[in-house]
Amino acid sequence: MFWYDHDMSGWGYAGMAVGMVLFWTLVIVGIIALVRFTIGGPPPRSVPQHPPYDITPEQVLAARFARGEIDEAEYQQRLGILRTNRAG
C-alpha cells in the first residue's frame, strides 16, 4: 500500500525547523547558565545602613561637633535649644 508516500509533508519540515531552533536555544541557554554558575552571580547588593534609633539628639549634635561640621558656638546654641525643648 502507500509505497510512494513515505516522505515528510510541509508540517514535518516545519516541525523539524521548530525543533532545531528549540534545541539550539536550550543548548545556548544551558551554556550561559553553566558559565554564570561557575563564575558566580553578580555581587550582592549592599543594604543601606540606617542609623540606630537609640541615639539621642545630643549624641548626634556631639558627633557633628567632633567631626568639625559645626563650631563650638553653634554647638552650645543648639545644645541649649535641645535641652530647653526637652524640659518643656
Side-chain angles (χ1 to χ4, degrees):
M1 296 176 136
F2 305 110
W3 291 98
Y4 58 90
D5 195 22
H6 291 295
D7 53 349
M8 285 190 294
S9 65
W11 289 108
Y13 287 114
M16 269 190 357
V18 169
M20 186 182 329
V21 169
L22 288 175
F23 171 76
W24 286 112
T25 302
L26 287 174
V27 167
I28 291 170
V29 167
I31 290 172
I32 290 172
L34 182 66
V35 168
R36 282 191 177 186
F37 179 74
T38 56
I39 291 176
R45 295 182 180 178
S46 63
V47 177
Q49 298 295 325
H50 298 289
Y53 293 106
D54 57 346
I55 295 178
T56 64
E58 289 89 358
Q59 290 173 332
V60 173
L61 189 63
R64 288 187 63 199
F65 178 62
R67 287 192 301 261
E69 294 178 9
I70 56 175
D71 60 356
E72 185 178 357
E74 188 175 359
Y75 171 73
Q76 293 297 333
Q77 176 192 8
R78 290 179 184 228
L79 187 61
I81 293 171
L82 283 174
R83 287 185 178 164
T84 56
N85 286 340
R86 183 178 47 164

